């Protein structure tokens, strides 16, 4: 078990898992970001609205999940972006064989947090 921290764009992630799954996590995070950025490029309102966003059958599953969460919570879809990216990456790690995967996507590095 090993911890790594990396940042890309607005995403700051700490991954704790067996080291062989770290690349899988990174790849999944880049893929999730690409999906979200493509949606924003196609529909800039998706990024800025504070209101629930309608689900579209043409969207990727990741975007649909964000829209469902936004409707349930009464907020815009980007309110759940960190959790959506984290879930996406953990799911890919488990599909790749990880039996333990922890992904923190709130921007804090748990190894450096001081109380």
């Amino acid at each position: 078990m090993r911890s790594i921290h990396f940042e890309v764009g607005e995403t700051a992630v700490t991954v704790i898992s067996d080291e062989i799954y770290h690349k899988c996590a990174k790849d999944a995070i880049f893929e999730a970001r690409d999906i979200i950025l493509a949606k924003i490029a196609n529909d800039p309102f998706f990024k800025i609205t504070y209101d629930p966003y309608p689900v579209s059958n043409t969207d990727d599953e990741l975007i649909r999940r964000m829209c469902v969460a936004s409707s349930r919570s009464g907020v815009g879809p980007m309110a759940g972006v960190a959790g959506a990216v984290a879930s996406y990456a953990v799911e890919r790690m488990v599909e790749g064989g990880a039996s333990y995967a922890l992904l923190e996507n709130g921007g804090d590095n748990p190894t450096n947090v001081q109380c």
Side-chain angles (χ1 to χ4, degrees):
M1 208 65 57
R2 189 155 174 242
S3 170
I4 62 163
H5 180 83
F6 73 97
E7 299 180 19
V8 55
E10 306 83 0
T11 306
V13 178
T14 299
V15 178
I16 302 172
S17 69
D18 290 331
E19 194 170 351
I20 63 171
Y21 299 107
H22 290 177
K23 181 179 179 336
C24 179
K26 284 183 178 182
D27 290 348
I29 289 163
F30 278 98
E31 185 177 319
R33 285 181 52 84
D34 287 347
I35 292 167
I36 294 165
L37 291 172
K39 174 64 176 179
I40 292 167
N42 237 7
D43 183 0
F45 189 67
F46 181 83
K47 181 179 180 179
I48 62 171
T49 185
Y50 291 117
D51 296 321
Y53 203 83
V55 176
S56 169
N57 291 334
T58 61
D59 284 328
D60 185 275
E61 176 63 22
L62 174 63
I63 301 300
R64 287 195 301 268
R65 285 183 181 182
M66 290 174 69
C67 292
V68 168
S70 108
S71 293
R72 289 181 180 162
S73 304
V75 297
M78 293 301 285
V81 69
V85 170
S87 292
Y88 189 90
V90 167
E91 288 170 4
R92 295 305 169 274
M93 292 169 73
V94 169
E95 288 171 4
S99 58
Y100 181 88
L102 185 140
L103 198 142
E104 191 280 324
N105 187 14
D108 297 323
N109 184 343
T111 59
N112 293 330
V113 173
Q114 296 178 355
C115 298

